Amino acid sequence: MLSKALLRLGTSAARHPWRVIAAWLIAAALAVLAAVAFGGRTADSMTAPGLDSRRAAELIERAGTGQEGMTAQVVVTPLDGGATFFDDDGARTALTRLQTEVKRLPHVLGTSDPAGALDAGEDTAVRGSLVSADGRIAVVRVQYPDQSRLSAEDLDALVDLGDRLRAELPLRIEMGGNLFYAFSDPDGGASELIGLLAAAAILFLAFGSLVAAALPIGMAVFGLTVGVATMTVLAGVTDVPTFAPVLGSMVGLGVGIDYALFVLARHREYLARGLDPHEAAGRAVATAGRPVVFAGGTVVVSILGMAVANVPFMTVGGLAVSIVVLTMVLASVTLLPAFLGAAGPRLARVGRIGRALQTKKLGRLARRRDPAAGAAHAAGWRRWIGHVSRHPVPYAVGAAGLLLTATLPVLGLRVGLPDDGSLPHSRTERRAYDLVAEGFGPGTNGPLVIAADPAGDPGVLDRLVGAVAADPGIASVAPTQIDRATGIATLVVFPTTSPQDKATADTIARLRTGVLPTAIGHRPARAHVGGAAASLSDVGQRTSQRLPVFVAAVLAMSFLLLMLVFRSILVPLKAVLLNLLSIGAAYGIMVAVFQWGWGGALIGLEATVPIVSFIPMFLFAILFGLSMDYEVFLLSRVREEYLRTGDNGTAIVEGISGTARIITSAALIMVAVFLSFAVAEDPSTKMFGLGLATAIFIDATVVRMVLVPATMTLLGRTNWWLPRWVDRMLPRGPVGTDAESTGEAPSTAG
């Protein structure tokens, strides 16, 4: 039995706390040393096998034209806004020096030469792609080799050069390009600190003790150190996406403190009953630790299930986040009981400040003992749950209607990837983006690269160029580059719209389904549309296509696991449907904020953006696992009461009111941690933070405290109905309620 193993593990850790703490210290030190010695930096590779953009990249790689590698762009304009490169020799000389120094950087294969193009009087097409029509803005395009041959040091070298030249040249210098996207460090350090401080405050209010508040924070910091260091080692072996450390920190802090809160609350209950601290810690791990293992395992399995999308960067990112979650689960059942054993009976006491805060929060007369304060909390929740249970129909209909209304914006969900135009103006990438859009048009920020193999028919290239240039979504076509050895041609084309604009995705689709096939006809030639904008569009389409399969798999897995835990058909079915409602509402709010701009200024969003293509799948995986945490914790108590009393109404009121305080505190911690990331600079981080915070808030309030008691009251005794033939088929083992696994209540078969 899992509970018996956890009981032994927790008791042993509590009896030998310093051994366990020392082992974790050694593990953390080794993980950090390994990260320093063998770790790598995160990098994004937004591609996947089988996509048209991937086929284009393969053709370009065969041709060896250099278009298959990474790119950056250095955008310049004179500091004197009235000067132009045409009539200012000093500005043109400065531009020449900048281009020369950029070309000398390590791994740079070549650069464009706007000043040279002007001096040589090159044709209008070439000059127009390098210098704006008014002569005020110039672009030095920098070509690098494939991402596998580069590292973050190449980005650092380019940025350092820009910083130096800004002080030496009379130019405003801004930089952008996919080199920045691939190797920029994620922002999250300040958010982690804000989240920790908020969690500490909530824990102190919940327990009224500095010691009790410090233990979950300490455990989470230990777990996060080991998990993120391990993720860094993984980055030395394969490409770990840049969002993984931020998401890992966000989820790791949230679930780590959440799991510790559940175990700590049970431990204090056992201390209040008079149990020895070591025994209390062991029993707490055996009871509350089992839902922790269950919920953590569900999160990990759900995240790893994203491999069905067949998008490598999502699979690796999921693996990296899973490492952090697993580390937090392990810390919850080993390191935390060691902390509890070392703290001893002090955790049963409440300090004067904590007692005063709890008294003020209750709004009642001063209460000298924590159990009484907890009883007052439970009484308040008992009255609320009883009220909902007496009026189940209006509450069920009203709450479900509210969530369905919040879900409606999902019908307008548009996936994509925010481009540099969605970054704050404090970032050089945003300023470079704006300058390029101002001087050359918005589509210049996201050129498409068409790779064509004429298969011995050179005339097909002229037809392709003419057809592409005639498309209404294309602003201009750069001169064709042809590799003499292979005959493969590459066409760089500039759309009329920005990379994140839906019209750009429509243009890509039109080129693939109509323009290129019509130009080629029945000839053996082939052409594919690539480039960063096309790759991101393709990844978005693939994840959207695979999302229903992934959701169905997670729902089926969750239903089966909950059926094993509670020996019921309707309880897991209800849980799955209610979880869908809360996640759907979170998706709807994300669409309203990020696509429609409602309240975006509150989180520092400066422009509307599409929903990042991989975020809906990640959010679904994480949120379903987290909601299972609350589900098992709450319904385990309800089932304990049902097994004890045999009365469904009493079980609902007592079970939910007995867990409401802990669930509310846990949800507040999660919301505080996740919201701290919603104010980060990067729109993707904002989406993760707001989406997770919104879903957790809805799940812990509208769902757990309204819909769950209302629907369980309406279902009555059929909540625990399980056909006998199904019961005989279900395995018995490390499942069941807390009471069943510890002998605190009789076990039945639902």
Side-chain angles (χ1 to χ4, degrees):
M1 292 287 290
L2 176 61
S3 295
K4 292 182 179 179
L6 291 174
L7 176 64
R8 291 193 297 268
L9 184 62
T11 304
S12 176
R15 292 188 184 280
H16 307 93
W18 301 114
R19 296 181 187 177
V20 177
I21 294 171
W24 272 92
L25 281 171
I26 294 172
L30 291 176
V32 171
L33 288 174
V36 172
F38 308 108
R41 292 179 66 172
T42 56
D44 287 314
S45 179
M46 295 289 184
T47 186
L51 299 177
D52 189 68
S53 54
R54 181 61 188 166
R55 297 189 183 99
E58 291 169 350
L59 272 182
I60 296 170
E61 189 173 354
R62 276 180 52 199
T65 59
Q67 295 287 348
E68 75 278 8
M70 303 292 292
T71 60
Q73 58 184 16
V74 182
V75 188
V76 295
T77 188
L79 289 175
D80 178 4
T84 67
F85 293 125
F86 287 109
D87 59 18
D88 191 315
D89 292 336
R92 191 175 300 189
T93 301
L95 177 61
T96 301
R97 179 185 166 190
L98 178 133
Q99 182 264 336
T100 302
E101 296 215 24
V102 169
K103 193 172 184 178
R104 292 173 180 168
L105 289 174
H107 298 132
V108 170
L109 300 179
T111 67
S112 63
D113 184 6
L118 289 173
D119 291 336
E122 291 194 18
D123 64 80
T124 304
V126 174
R127 188 167 57 210
S129 66
L130 300 178
V131 182
S132 62
D134 61 6
R136 291 185 56 255
I137 301 170
V139 177
V140 177
R141 294 193 172 89
V142 189
Q143 185 66 51
Y144 286 91
D146 185 77
Q147 182 172 336
S148 61
R149 297 166 57 188
L150 301 175
S151 69
E153 282 71 21
D154 293 287
L155 175 60
D156 294 340
L158 180 61
V159 171
D160 291 343
L161 176 63
D163 292 339
R164 178 170 62 84
L165 293 181
R166 285 188 186 98
E168 299 176 3
L169 300 177
L171 299 174
R172 175 186 168 191
I173 302 173
E174 308 295 350
M175 299 180 176
N178 57 19
L179 185 73
F180 283 79
Y181 180 79
F183 295 111
S184 290
D185 286 327
D187 54 336
S191 298
E192 293 168 13
L193 179 59
I194 294 171
L196 281 173
L197 292 175
I202 296 169
L203 286 167
F204 183 63
L205 287 174
F207 292 116
S209 166
L210 287 174
V211 176
L215 295 188
I217 299 294
M219 189 214 79
V221 170
F222 261 99
L224 197 61
T225 300
V226 175
V228 173
T230 306
M231 186 189 300
T232 304
V233 175
L234 180 65
V237 179
T238 186
D239 287 337
V240 174
T242 54
F243 68 79
V246 175
L247 184 58
S249 299
M250 192 188 311
V251 175
L253 283 178
V255 302
I257 297 173
D258 214 33
Y259 295 164
L261 177 62
F262 288 160
V263 176
L264 179 58
R266 267 299 173 99
H267 176 72
R268 283 163 62 94
E269 285 183 22
Y270 288 128
L271 288 178
R273 296 182 192 179
L275 269 65
D276 173 81
H278 299 154
E279 184 181 356
R283 295 285 289 276
V285 172
T287 52
R290 193 178 51 78
V292 165
V293 173
F294 174 84
T298 304
V299 173
V300 170
V301 172
S302 298
I303 293 177
L304 292 179
M306 290 189 302
V308 301
N310 194 24
V311 179
F313 81 88
M314 288 179 59
T315 302
V316 177
L319 175 62
V321 175
S322 297
I323 290 173
V324 178
V325 175
L326 280 176
T327 305
M328 289 301 182
V329 172
L330 183 60
S332 299
V333 297
T334 57
L335 180 59
L336 182 60
F339 283 162
L340 299 179
R346 286 177 292 174
L347 289 175
R349 298 192 294 268
V350 179
R352 290 182 180 180
I353 298 177
R355 191 182 302 118
L357 288 172
Q358 287 185 338
T359 301
K360 185 176 181 180
K361 186 172 66 170
L362 287 171
R364 298 178 180 274
L365 296 176
R367 305 180 187 276
R368 305 300 297 176
R369 296 178 57 83
D370 185 49
H377 274 285
W381 284 112
R382 192 177 293 111
R383 286 193 296 271
W384 168 252
I385 301 302
H387 172 72
V388 173
S389 298
R390 289 191 297 272
H391 308 88
V393 174
Y395 275 105
V397 173
L402 177 65
L403 295 186
L404 286 173
T405 301
T407 304
L408 286 178
V410 172
L411 298 176
L413 175 68
R414 180 170 69 87
V415 298
L417 196 81
D419 55 30
D420 289 344
S422 60
L423 294 174
H425 287 280
S426 59
R427 296 276 292 269
T428 185
E429 301 101 296
R430 170 62 187 273
R431 297 192 296 269
Y433 179 97
D434 290 344
L435 280 176
V436 170
E438 176 188 343
F440 304 92
T444 311
N445 281 299
L448 306 176
V449 182
I450 298 176
D453 182 358
D457 181 8
V460 76
L461 296 179
D462 293 332
R463 290 189 294 273
L464 281 174
V465 172
V468 170
D471 186 87
I474 300 300
S476 62
V477 180
T480 305
Q481 298 183 43
I482 302 176
D483 178 61
R484 293 186 178 181
T486 62
I488 295 173
T490 55
L491 290 77
V492 178
V493 301
F494 300 96
T496 58
T497 49
S498 65
Q500 70 176 12
D501 199 311
K502 183 179 183 299
T504 302
D506 294 339
T507 298
I508 294 171
R510 190 168 56 250
L511 290 175
R512 287 171 173 164
T513 59
V515 175
L516 299 183
T518 300
I520 293 174
H522 298 291
R523 300 171 184 82
R526 58 193 178 108
H528 305 284
V529 182
S535 296
L536 297 175
S537 176
D538 289 351
V539 169
Q541 288 185 9
R542 171 165 289 185
T543 54
S544 297
Q545 292 168 355
R546 302 290 174 89
L547 183 60
V549 177
F550 171 74
V551 169
V554 172
L555 293 180
M557 178 192 69
S558 301
F559 177 83
L560 291 174
L561 288 176
L562 287 175
M563 186 167 61
L564 285 173
V565 171
F566 296 110
R567 321 297 293 185
S568 165
I569 294 291
L570 295 181
V571 164
L573 180 60
K574 171 189 64 63
V576 165
L577 293 177
L578 295 187
N579 288 341
L580 274 178
L581 271 179
S582 63
I583 296 174
Y587 283 179
I589 292 172
M590 286 174 59
V591 171
V593 172
F594 290 97
Q595 288 185 209
W596 300 352
W598 292 6
L602 297 176
I603 58 173
L605 188 68
E606 298 186 3
T608 57
V609 294
I611 303 301
V612 177
S613 57
F614 54 82
I615 283 183
M617 190 174 283
F618 259 104
L619 285 185
F620 191 88
I622 294 168
L623 290 171
F624 229 88
L626 297 181
S627 65
M628 288 300 103
D629 188 357
Y630 294 149
E631 192 77 28
V632 174
F633 187 73
L634 183 151
L635 291 180
S636 293
R637 287 295 189 91
V638 174
R639 184 155 172 79
E640 285 180 30
E641 295 296 328
Y642 180 74
L643 293 173
R644 184 177 64 84
T645 65
D647 182 81
N648 185 67
T650 301
I652 293 171
V653 173
E654 295 298 323
I656 297 179
S657 63
T659 57
R661 182 185 180 191
I662 298 302
I663 287 179
T664 303
S665 299
L668 282 174
I669 291 171
M670 285 256 199
V671 170
V673 170
F674 295 150
L675 277 182
S676 68
F677 285 84
V679 297
E681 287 187 349
D682 183 65
S684 302
T685 305
K686 290 181 185 291
M687 288 182 196
F688 275 125
L690 183 66
L692 289 170
T694 302
I696 293 298
F697 177 78
I698 292 172
D699 190 74
T701 54
V702 179
V703 172
R704 302 296 159 209
M705 301 307 157
V706 179
L707 277 173
V708 168
T711 54
M712 292 191 76
T713 299
L714 291 172
L715 291 173
R717 294 180 63 89
T718 55
N719 278 302
W720 314 109
W721 171 71
L722 182 69
R724 293 188 178 277
W725 65 272
V726 176
D727 184 52
R728 288 193 297 268
M729 293 176 60
L730 295 179
R732 298 183 182 273
V735 293
T737 65
D738 288 347
E740 291 169 345
S741 60
T742 58
E744 296 179 12
S747 176
T748 71

